[in-house]
Amino acid sequence: MPNVRTDMTVSLDGYICGLAAQQPPYLDKGFFRITEWAVAHQAWRERGGFDGGLQGADNALLKEMFEQAGAYVMGRRMFDSGEEPWGESPPFHAPVFVGTHREREPLIRKGGTTFHFVTDGPAEAIKRAKAACGDRNVHISGGATIVQQAIAEGLLNEMHVHIAPVLLGQGTRLFEQLPDTVIELDRFHVLDSPAVTHLGFRFPTAA
């Protein structure tokens, strides 16, 4: 069975963005601050069609994440915030399944990326991504709501949390809406660098 993985960068106090990002275009200086570690590295820049970038252990982690992803799942807010800046050649190079309440025809872009809009909930989006990913991972790219739904429904196998050394104070928390139950995790990976601390967890009871 394909592995379902998510990678989310958070501030030390657990936010994926600040308060301003709760309104269109759903991006703010808090989001850009915590994700700057990724954007600075070669693997990320290559995906965006840019030259240069840092290398090293952080870059190797990003490269592995991209290489292992055979299909992506994301929420509609993430798609809405990224559609214009991603342009005609989005960085995914694979099918992307967007969880949404608004129907839309598939959006075909260059480089192998097609956005499919799924109105039947995150489980259906993940099911369709599994059918499309071959022998690679399904990658849940965000935002917080669809990650929380996947956790609540037991659909995640791996969660990688990248902690930036900054406090945002307010905003959107990664783990805000979860069921009132204990969810045990197996930590299997820890990597520290000056820019970010990487933690990898497995969900032993995932479907």
Side-chain angles (χ1 to χ4, degrees):
M1 291 290 291
N3 199 44
V4 181
R5 166 178 172 163
T6 191
D7 285 70
M8 298 293 290
T9 298
V10 299
S11 63
L12 182 60
D13 49 349
Y15 295 101
I16 67 167
C17 58
L19 280 177
Q22 295 180 352
Q23 303 295 326
Y26 307 117
L27 301 171
D28 72 345
K29 63 181 182 180
F31 171 81
F32 289 115
R33 167 58 187 89
I34 66 169
T35 58
E36 66 183 20
W37 73 272
V39 177
H41 283 83
Q42 183 183 54
W44 186 276
R45 293 181 62 80
E46 284 180 350
R47 284 278 168 155
F50 302 103
D51 295 329
L54 302 175
Q55 300 189 36
D58 293 339
N59 188 66
L61 186 151
L62 287 168
K63 184 177 180 181
E64 177 190 66
M65 179 190 75
F66 286 127
E67 289 176 345
Q68 291 181 355
Y72 293 83
V73 173
M74 68 177 59
R76 183 62 185 253
R77 182 174 291 188
M78 180 176 177
F79 171 79
D80 287 346
S81 67
E83 181 180 9
E84 183 176 342
W86 291 330
E88 292 296 318
S89 299
F92 305 101
H93 310 306
V96 181
F97 297 87
V98 181
T100 180
H101 297 294
R102 292 170 281 162
E103 293 186 359
R104 180 172 172 175
E105 292 298 313
L107 177 63
I108 301 172
R109 294 300 201 191
K110 297 177 182 178
T113 300
T114 297
F115 295 97
H116 305 270
F117 300 88
V118 183
T119 58
D120 299 326
E124 180 63 22
I126 291 171
K127 179 181 177 181
R128 291 181 58 180
K130 284 182 175 181
C133 72
D135 59 356
R136 294 192 286 170
N137 289 343
V138 171
H139 192 277
I140 301 180
S141 299
T145 298
I146 199 164
V147 171
Q148 292 160 9
Q149 291 171 334
I151 293 173
E153 296 183 29
L155 301 173
L156 264 183
N157 301 109
E158 283 187 24
M159 178 171 61
H160 296 254
V161 180
H162 313 284
I163 304 173
V166 62
L167 300 171
L168 295 187
Q170 298 184 67
T172 299
R173 289 188 182 275
L174 178 57
F175 301 118
E176 187 72 38
Q177 301 293 330
L178 290 177
D180 183 18
T181 186
V182 175
I183 301 174
E184 296 288 351
L185 304 172
D186 294 333
R187 192 188 69 185
F188 71 95
H189 176 77
V190 179
L191 176 65
D192 189 39
S193 76
V196 65
T197 299
H198 310 281
L199 302 175
F201 302 92
R202 291 191 178 100
F203 291 78
T205 60

